[in-house]
């Protein structure tokens, strides 16, 4: 096979209202990616900050201006902020669980596909009715897009940020991963939620309380059967976001890359994963982009607000 290069970014949290810095930084990130020889760009969710129509229009404008609205150039999966939104002001904490409960989950997933429909073209689907899971063949590489955003549950997912791949989607993903026509190709899974464990802070500190809450509300349920499925089907790599760090790790014999620190990494660093997929190996470099000072909030430009 010829070598294939992917730029992996995640967790842009674009907003015209709450996080205007992110828009300026996202432009810079995509400019930097555009300067390199990259075959494909992968975005693993939380593109929006608050699941708002304007945020998706801004994202669409960014991708269009970067020449990425093309199934051969861009693949996306959905994140929890793209479905439920998030808490941005202290007073939101009280009302956010009710908002999550009232969110029309399937409508949001379908709208997400609508905003970025070009990226979902030329895919194989486990179900014609749903955008996820999908398989996209790019030469010798196949990308499998998975929706890991769990439905609202008062007990298991009160603020919408936990992950789950339900039974129906799991079955369809298994069918796609086992499809005879995809045998022998390099299989890469795209999913929003992480597979690593949260570090456990020292007991008895306030930090440990927040750590415990975070572990409870940021968790991907059902990891065990996914590990097994990925191993049995020869998945070469899993790309994800959700935790705002960029890094590489292995679990249960599978290689994972987190791109969640693309805009919001430690020290406000911008970075992306630049992945070279060769015939024998997969190599990743984390490309870090220096922050410009001072950071000035910007408003979306007119082209970025135009929904195509
Ligand atoms: Fe997330």
């Amino acid at each position: 096979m010829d070598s294939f290069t992917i730029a992996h970014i995640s967790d842009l949290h674009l907003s015209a209202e709450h996080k205007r810095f992110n828009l300026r930084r996202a432009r810079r990130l995509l400019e930097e990616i555009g300067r390199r020889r990259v075959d494909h760009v992968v975005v693993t969710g939380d593109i929006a900050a608050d699941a708002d129509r304007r945020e998706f229009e801004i994202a669409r404008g960014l991708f269009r201006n970067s020449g990425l609205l093309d199934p051969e150039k861009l693949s996306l999966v959905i994140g929890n902020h793209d479905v439920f939104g998030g808490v941005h002001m202290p007073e939101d904490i009280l009302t956010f669980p009710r908002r999550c409960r009232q969110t029309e989950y399937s409508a949001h997933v379908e709208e997400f596909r609508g905003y970025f429909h070009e990226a979902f073209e030329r895919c194989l689907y486990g179900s014609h009715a749903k955008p996820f899971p999908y398989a996209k063949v790019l030469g010798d590489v196949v990308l499998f897009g998975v929706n890991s955003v769990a439905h609202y549950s008062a007990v298991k997912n009160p603020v919408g940020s936990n992950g789950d791949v339900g039974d129906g989607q799991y079955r369809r993903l298994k069918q796609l991963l086992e499809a005879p026509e995809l045998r022998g190709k390099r299989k890469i899974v795209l999913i929003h939620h992480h597979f690593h464990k949260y570090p456990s802070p020292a007991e008895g500190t306030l930090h440990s309380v927040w750590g415990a809450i975070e572990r409870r509300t940021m968790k991907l349920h059902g990891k065990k059967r996914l590990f097994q499925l990925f191993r049995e089907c020869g998945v070469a790599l899993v790309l994800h976001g959700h935790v705002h760090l960029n890094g590489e790790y292995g679990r249960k014999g599978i290689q994972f890359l987190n791109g969640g620190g693309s805009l919001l990494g430690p020290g406000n660093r911008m970075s992306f994963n630049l992945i070279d997929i060769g015939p024998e190996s997969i190599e990743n470099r984390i490309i870090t982009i220096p922050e410009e000072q001072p950071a000035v909030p910007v408003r979306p430009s007119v082209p970025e607000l135009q929904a195509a």
Side-chain angles (χ1 to χ4, degrees), residues 41-78:
V41 174
V42 162
V43 192
T44 49
D46 281 359
I47 292 163
D50 209 28
D52 178 76
R53 180 180 60 83
R54 264 174 56 109
E55 296 170 352
F56 292 118
E57 287 169 355
I58 290 167
R60 182 172 171 77
L62 272 177
F63 296 140
R64 186 184 52 226
N65 294 349
S66 304
L68 292 174
L69 288 181
D70 178 331
E72 302 292 320
K73 294 183 180 172
L74 179 69
S75 295
L76 309 148
V77 290
I78 195 165

